[in-house]
Amino acid sequence: MSEVLDAIFNRRSIRSYTEQPVSREQLDILMKAGQAAPSAMNQQPWYFVAIQRKEMIEELTSLLNVEEDPYYNAPLLIVVFADKKAYSPVTDAALAMGNMMLAAQALGLGSCWIDYSRHVFNHPQFAGLSRSLGVPENYFCVGSLVIGTPAQQPDAHPVNPETMTVVV
């Protein structure tokens, strides 16, 4: 099986990470993988913010008063924004995030899509938060990824044949 198919079929959402940081080289590869995603009319309407400062991730956690850590103590949080004026911003940003999750798997890292960030960054109460991180004005948060070395590796789940139809 090819490395790409291996990453696709073996990637799992990881919800427990070690303290080991993601290296700068790994981070660069993850960001490039996101930038290499397809996008409608090649608009590339995404903007990525990589956060490795633990105190900043903890501050985001505290903003909406949740009881559990929505970021699973991961050493890297990548928040993904998209241009409101783009043709297909949510789909394009989701494809970029998918690329990053597959790249993480190929690098021996774990990842998990975290929707919580969307609620923080798009909440009117925190309107200045995106700007403070350098996000361009007309961008909104699509979601985020936590990435790091898995503390444990769950088994791959079998695909559910009831979720597809093949017409030949």
Side-chain angles (χ1 to χ4, degrees):
M1 188 177 323
S2 76
E3 288 181 40
V4 172
L5 292 177
D6 183 58
I8 290 169
F9 293 128
N10 292 308
R11 195 209 71 77
R12 308 286 357 120
S13 291
I14 303 299
R15 293 178 177 87
S16 179
Y17 296 90
T18 68
E19 297 283 329
Q20 183 176 341
V22 173
S23 73
R24 182 58 198 219
E25 180 184 3
Q26 290 170 320
L27 178 56
D28 289 345
I29 291 168
L30 293 166
M31 299 296 254
K32 286 178 185 172
Q35 292 172 317
S39 64
M41 298 183 288
N42 197 30
Q43 288 183 316
Q44 302 176 33
W46 43 68
Y47 192 90
F48 310 133
V49 176
I51 302 171
Q52 290 184 298
R53 278 193 246 148
K54 191 169 189 66
E55 65 276 3
M56 185 177 282
I57 296 171
E58 289 170 352
E59 185 177 329
L60 289 173
T61 300
S62 70
L63 290 178
L64 288 180
N65 295 325
V66 291
E67 296 203 11
E68 294 183 27
D69 176 9
Y71 300 121
Y72 303 112
N73 199 38
L76 172 62
L77 172 67
I78 299 176
V79 187
V80 179
F81 298 87
D83 187 344
K84 293 176 185 174
K85 297 176 183 174
Y87 182 77
S88 188
V90 173
T91 302
D92 294 345
L95 287 167
M97 293 172 75
N99 269 18
M100 286 189 261
M101 289 189 290
L102 292 174
Q105 177 71 24
L107 293 170
L109 300 170
S111 66
C112 188
W113 181 304
I114 306 295
D115 199 47
Y116 170 81
S117 299
R118 185 173 59 84
H119 301 290
V120 172
F121 284 96
N122 295 337
H123 194 288
Q125 181 180 353
F126 309 117
L129 187 56
S130 299
R131 262 191 318 279
S132 74
L133 295 172
V135 178
E137 200 165 319
N138 293 308
Y139 280 63
F140 66 101
C141 182
V142 174
S144 64
L145 300 174
V146 290
I147 297 175
T149 300
Q152 54 192 13
Q153 184 67 44
D155 293 332
H157 296 291
V159 295
N160 180 353
E162 295 177 18
T163 62
M164 65 181 156
T165 299
V166 177
V167 179
V168 184

